Amino acid sequence: MSQEHVPAKAAGPRVTANVIRGCLGNLIEWYDWFVYASFSIYFASAFFPEGNQTAQLLSTAIVFAVGFLMRPIGGWLLGLYADRFGRRAALTLSVTLMSVGSLTIAVTPGHDTIGALAPTLLVAARLAQGLSVGGEWGSSASYLAEVAPAGRRGFYSSFQFVSIVLGQLAALLVMIVLQRSLSDGQIEDWGWRIPFVIGAVAGLAVMYLRRSMDESQYFEAEKTKAAMQHSATPERRGLISLFTEHPRQLIAVFGLAIGGTVGYYTFTTYVQKYLVNTAGIPKASVSAIGFAALFLFMLLQPAVGALSDRMGRRPVMFAFSVGGMLLTVPVMTVLGHTHNPWIAFLLMTVLLMVLTGYSALAPIIKAEMFPTKNRALGVGLPHALVTATFGGFTEPIALALKKSGHESVFFWYVTGCMALTFLATLLVREPSRASTLEADSIVSSGQDLEKKPASLT
């Protein structure tokens, strides 16, 4: 990209307000996502015929999986939308879809009232929410990277995972409050609808806030460039451009996401079931351990993001992948044999500290590998594909290996995924080594990752 098409500055005085509005949408989307998983035990009987409770829970789990399968479609469609119509428009659309999905679940009558239409509407709501979450990642990562000042992109982009974890904690907190305020019967009767109403209302509020966000100056510059080229030779965009011009970047994003995604679902969600099923720690203690460890994990994100601005992305990502390869097997093994909640908390915190090397950098290191014209698609699509496959199957693989008596094999599986992230990091040149001016002006379209630093353009 020529110098005239590069914004004079990547962020203005409103950068903090824009980051907050962008992250609030992330928070709401992930709150809604985890609310479904947390409250399914209460609303399963409302949407599916009376009978075996296991069958009802299995039905809700299948619907949850359908949402996972919609993520790649969301990453594709909303990624294209963000690259064509703007980050602000895509982020507003994604939170609207999530809000509509939550509202649908909240107001849909039970199976006893409307019959088969109840589970049908539940599936439709989850399809919308799957599209939303799948499209949110790439659009949000692109927006945060583009509105942040050069030299502080790691810090600001790390708030994407802060909002994700905060959404998870918010869902857990609402569940704790309802469990202490209402009886199980009341929650099963009508109380489970409350968290979905909260999500729907909050989503509509964030939709309004996102409409007032500043559009990315990088996107505005790219739109101007595209208009100037319209009368000349049109520039290729979309999937064809992505696969033909950036195949190595796509491979790198896939590899980075595999270890990070499997690590995330292992160390944040599965490990809590592991502490109950294998270590035998009481559920109440595990809930407290998980909440405290996740809270510390959330607080670490900006610090590690800022560290990557000073040290570079690659050293921090290498620290994650190497640390994950060395620590996963021994720490998980010890976790499975401890009965002390404090030791379990410390070991879970160690795993999450290692994971921070990925989570704090995941948005920015991927966004810096693609040019503005297809950044949201390049980041969102491969990430959604990895989440739908490796992320969605993390827990089933772990439980299947435990059932077969080979639980320790799962730890080596996680280690192997970390090794793929290590190899992918070798493909990524260090974007933060360039000066501010160079980082904003290097032509990254079709760049060779081994010869030229990836950068925002």
Side-chain angles (χ1 to χ4, degrees):
M1 184 185 299
S2 62
Q3 185 73 26
E4 64 188 274
H5 296 303
V6 178
K9 56 182 180 177
R14 287 167 56 86
V15 60
T16 301
N18 287 323
V19 168
I20 290 174
R21 280 177 281 191
C23 288
L24 279 176
N26 246 328
L27 189 160
I28 296 303
E29 297 220 15
W30 287 94
Y31 163 84
D32 286 329
W33 190 259
F34 286 115
V35 156
Y36 181 96
S38 302
F39 283 87
S40 60
I41 191 171
Y42 292 111
F43 66 73
S45 60
F47 287 96
F48 299 97
E50 292 186 9
N52 186 278
Q53 184 183 34
T54 301
Q56 292 174 336
L57 291 175
L58 179 60
S59 297
T60 60
I62 292 173
V63 176
F64 186 74
V66 168
F68 261 99
L69 295 177
M70 289 301 292
R71 286 191 183 188
I73 300 176
W76 169 44
L77 293 178
L78 286 180
L80 286 172
Y81 189 84
D83 289 332
R84 182 169 182 179
F85 298 105
R87 319 307 190 205
R88 179 176 58 194
L91 289 171
T92 302
L93 177 58
S94 68
V95 77
T96 302
L97 285 172
M98 181 61 74
S99 183
V100 169
S102 292
L103 184 61
T104 300
I105 296 174
V107 302
T108 298
H111 185 275
D112 291 344
T113 304
I114 60 174
L117 186 57
T120 301
L121 289 173
L122 178 65
V123 170
R126 292 302 292 173
L127 290 176
Q129 292 185 324
L131 282 171
S132 172
V133 173
E136 173 78 15
W137 176 269
S139 301
S140 181
S142 299
Y143 184 76
L144 294 179
E146 291 171 0
V147 300
R152 300 199 70 192
R153 289 178 181 139
F155 171 75
Y156 280 108
S157 295
S158 69
F159 282 91
Q160 184 163 350
F161 251 94
V162 170
S163 59
I164 290 174
V165 178
L166 196 56
Q168 185 175 0
L169 292 176
L172 180 59
L173 183 61
V174 169
M175 185 174 191
I176 292 172
V177 170
L178 288 178
Q179 286 174 333
R180 295 191 175 186
S181 304
L182 303 173
S183 66
D184 285 349
Q186 289 174 317
I187 298 177
E188 290 176 2
D189 187 28
W190 55 269
W192 63 266
R193 298 182 185 272
I194 294 175
F196 289 102
V197 171
I198 293 173
V201 173
L204 291 174
V206 171
M207 177 192 71
Y208 174 78
L209 290 174
R210 278 188 164 180
R211 290 179 62 188
S212 62
M213 291 191 309
D214 294 328
E215 181 55 89
S216 156
Q217 293 185 50
Y218 282 90
F219 175 78
E220 294 288 5
E222 181 64 27
K223 186 168 66 173
T224 301
K225 173 190 171 187
M228 293 173 62
Q229 291 180 335
H230 185 71
S231 57
T233 303
E235 191 175 22
R236 288 190 300 179
R237 299 169 183 270
L239 281 177
I240 294 177
S241 168
L242 195 63
F243 282 98
T244 58
E245 298 176 16
H246 310 287
R248 298 183 70 175
Q249 287 95 327
L250 284 173
I251 293 173
V253 173
F254 271 111
L256 292 173
I258 288 172
T261 298
V262 171
Y264 179 79
Y265 282 98
T266 300
F267 301 154
T268 65
T269 56
Y270 174 70
V271 72
Q272 298 186 54
K273 296 180 178 65
Y274 177 69
L275 289 174
V276 173
N277 295 334
T278 300
I281 297 176
K283 292 180 180 179
S285 297
V286 170
S287 295
I289 290 169
F291 190 95
L294 283 171
F295 187 78
L296 290 177
F297 175 63
M298 177 186 69
L299 295 180
L300 283 172
Q301 305 301 313
V304 176
L307 182 66
S308 77
D309 288 328
R310 297 178 62 86
M311 293 183 57
R313 318 290 186 223
R314 295 183 77 202
V316 179
M317 191 63 72
F318 275 131
F320 156 69
S321 56
V322 173
M325 288 189 290
L326 294 177
L327 295 176
T328 297
V329 173
V331 172
M332 291 295 287
T333 301
V334 174
L335 266 177
H337 291 85
T338 186
H339 301 291
N340 188 314
W342 286 104
I343 293 178
F345 167 72
L346 291 174
L347 292 176
M348 183 176 176
T349 301
V350 168
L351 292 175
L352 291 176
M353 288 178 64
V354 172
L355 181 63
T356 307
Y358 168 81
S359 58
L361 271 64
I364 187 61
I365 197 171
K366 297 170 186 177
E368 286 174 329
M369 283 193 280
F370 297 95
T372 305
K373 69 175 184 177
N374 53 19
R375 179 170 292 127
L377 180 62
V379 175
L381 179 59
H383 179 86
L385 284 168
V386 170
T387 302
T389 51
F390 286 87
F393 285 102
T394 296
E395 191 169 311
I397 289 174
L399 294 174
L401 288 171
K402 176 177 176 58
K403 186 177 180 180
S404 66
H406 302 286
E407 190 170 31
S408 62
V409 175
F410 174 69
F411 311 151
W412 288 103
Y413 166 75
V414 176
T415 301
C417 292
M418 304 288 188
L420 293 177
T421 295
F422 176 83
L423 294 176
T425 307
L426 297 175
L427 294 175
V428 182
R429 296 298 292 174
E430 183 53 68
S432 61
R433 285 180 183 163
S435 70
T436 299
L437 179 61
E438 291 170 334
D440 285 346
S441 62
I442 292 172
V443 179
S444 66
S445 180
Q447 68 185 7
D448 186 331
L449 288 174
E450 292 187 343
K451 295 180 181 180
K452 200 179 298 181
S455 63
L456 289 166
T457 61

